[in-house]
């Protein structure tokens, strides 16, 4: 059975003064089967966060355009993307007199296989039909406390330090990025990339049901609208990207 791909992206400024999230769906100029989705949640005073997120999207575009399947693996591209973006953000500190940082989550599809990298608390979810296959681990203080069994998921949502990250791009420390892959993509697989401005308001089950029930564009709009409603006038920037695999006629 052939499988086709639906993609959709959405952003909202939320109730903040500036949109510091960035998200992009990119295709290779000469290899139609190579797709790269990058999402960044910028952090920093004034326009510093937006600038950091922009550096990530720029690095994603440059690395995909330079990707050579004969000599480079997708995982190498993703690792290089993180390193290049981190270096660019660090350099911008000297020219902008700001302190920019950003999370990153990136997804690459190549020859029917999925690859991803993330650093920070922007997430990638992998669902199959209505089952969750994978959710990336947050590089945050509350995420670490949860992994140690010192905090429940419910307590983490309301913890006063829930926004403190232990790894991101642009900091003094080398990013602790994690790379993963999945080599068996089938119809009924859904990947969701999103910032914490979205996932804070949904359970895994809600996300799975929405993605399984609606086309990519409708699902993105539904999640965006519901997150805004649940934020009750105190919402963060929101960004999301959906990659949905559906059966196609031969």
């Amino acid at each position: 059975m052939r499988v086709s791909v639906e993609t959709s992206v959405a952003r909202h400024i939320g109730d903040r003064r500036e949109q510091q999230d960035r998200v992009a769906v990119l295709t290779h100029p000469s290899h139609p089967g190579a797709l790269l989705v990058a999402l960044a949640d910028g952090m920093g005073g004034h326009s510093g966060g937006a600038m950091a997120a922009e550096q990530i999207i720029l690095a994603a575009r440059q690395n995909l355009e330079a990707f050579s399947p004969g000599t480079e693996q997708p995982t190498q591209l993703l690792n290089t993307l993180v390193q290049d973006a981190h270096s660019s953000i660090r350099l911008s500190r000297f020219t902008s007199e700001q302190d920019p940082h950003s999370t990153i989550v990136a997804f690459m599809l190549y020859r029917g296989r999925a690859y991803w990298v993330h650093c920070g608390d922007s997430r990638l979810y992998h669902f199959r039909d209505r089952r969750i296959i994978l959710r990336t681990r947050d590089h945050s203080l509350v995420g670490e406390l949860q992994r140690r069994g010192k905090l429940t998921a419910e307590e983490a949502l309301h913890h006063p330090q829930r926004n403190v990250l232990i790894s991101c791009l642009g900091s003094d420390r080398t990013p602790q990025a994690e790379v993963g892959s999945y080599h068996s993509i089938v119809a009924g697989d859904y990947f969701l990339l999103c910032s914490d401005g979205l996932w804070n308001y949904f359970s895994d089950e809600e996300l799975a049901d929405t993605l399984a029930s609606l086309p990519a564009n409708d699902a993105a709009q539904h999640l965006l609208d519901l997150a805004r409603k649940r934020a009750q006038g105190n919402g963060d920037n929101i960004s999301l990207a959906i990659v949905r695999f559906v059966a196609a006629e031969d």
Side-chain angles (χ1 to χ4, degrees):
M1 179 186 295
R2 295 178 62 191
V3 176
S4 64
V5 183
E6 295 179 356
T7 63
S8 183
V9 300
R11 286 195 305 157
H12 197 286
I13 194 171
D15 300 292
R16 300 295 188 254
R17 297 179 61 183
E18 181 185 16
Q19 173 60 274
Q20 297 193 337
D21 285 7
R22 297 291 186 272
V23 59
V25 176
L26 308 167
T27 55
H28 195 284
S30 58
H31 297 283
L35 174 76
L36 179 63
V37 184
L39 184 148
D41 180 356
M43 302 167 287
H46 304 292
S47 61
M51 179 170 51
E54 286 282 3
Q55 293 287 348
I56 289 172
I57 300 302
L58 177 61
R61 181 175 289 108
Q62 292 173 338
N63 276 275
L64 181 62
E65 290 176 352
F67 177 61
S68 176
T71 59
E72 184 180 14
Q73 294 297 318
T75 51
Q76 292 175 277
L77 182 152
L78 295 174
N79 276 313
T80 303
L81 162 57
V82 170
Q83 294 165 10
D84 289 353
H86 175 66
S87 297
S88 296
I89 295 170
R90 292 278 295 163
L91 286 172
S92 70
R93 297 172 66 179
F94 300 103
T95 58
S96 66
E97 297 183 355
Q98 295 170 340
D99 190 22
H101 300 77
S102 182
T103 69
I104 182 175
V105 57
F107 170 89
M108 185 170 182
L109 177 67
Y110 185 65
R111 291 181 175 173
R113 296 183 176 185
Y115 307 84
W116 59 87
V117 66
H118 89 288
C119 183
D121 63 355
S122 292
R123 292 180 177 178
L124 180 133
Y125 294 82
H126 176 197
F127 301 103
R128 175 163 292 169
D129 297 320
R130 284 177 163 80
R131 295 180 294 110
I132 185 166
I133 305 298
L134 169 90
R135 184 183 74 194
T136 52
R137 305 188 311 162
D138 297 337
H139 299 134
S140 63
L141 176 61
V142 295
E144 186 63 26
L145 291 174
Q146 282 183 270
R147 287 188 283 276
R148 294 180 182 180
K150 296 182 178 180
L151 207 62
T152 66
E154 180 64 25
E155 290 171 337
L157 287 175
H158 305 286
H159 196 280
Q161 294 178 300
R162 61 185 179 276
N163 294 322
V164 176
L165 299 183
I166 58 176
S167 186
C168 64
L169 274 61
S171 69
D172 294 332
R173 299 179 180 178
T174 301
Q176 301 301 307
E178 295 183 39
V179 177
S181 61
Y182 199 81
H183 293 175
S184 181
I185 300 299
V186 298
D189 277 347
Y190 313 91
F191 290 86
L192 170 68
L193 296 78
C194 60
S195 61
D196 62 340
L198 183 85
W199 62 253
N200 264 325
Y201 300 104
F202 296 96
S203 66
D204 295 350
E205 292 75 19
E206 279 186 291
L207 294 174
D209 287 342
T210 300
L211 295 177
S213 303
L214 298 172
N217 284 339
D218 294 342
Q221 189 63 54
H222 175 77
L223 293 173
L224 193 66
D225 292 342
L226 196 52
R228 291 294 301 132
K229 181 179 179 180
R230 292 177 178 178
Q232 298 180 340
N234 191 34
D236 196 357
N237 295 160
I238 300 172
S239 59
L240 69 123
I242 296 170
V243 183
R244 185 172 184 262
F245 295 87
V246 296
E249 295 182 2
D250 291 336

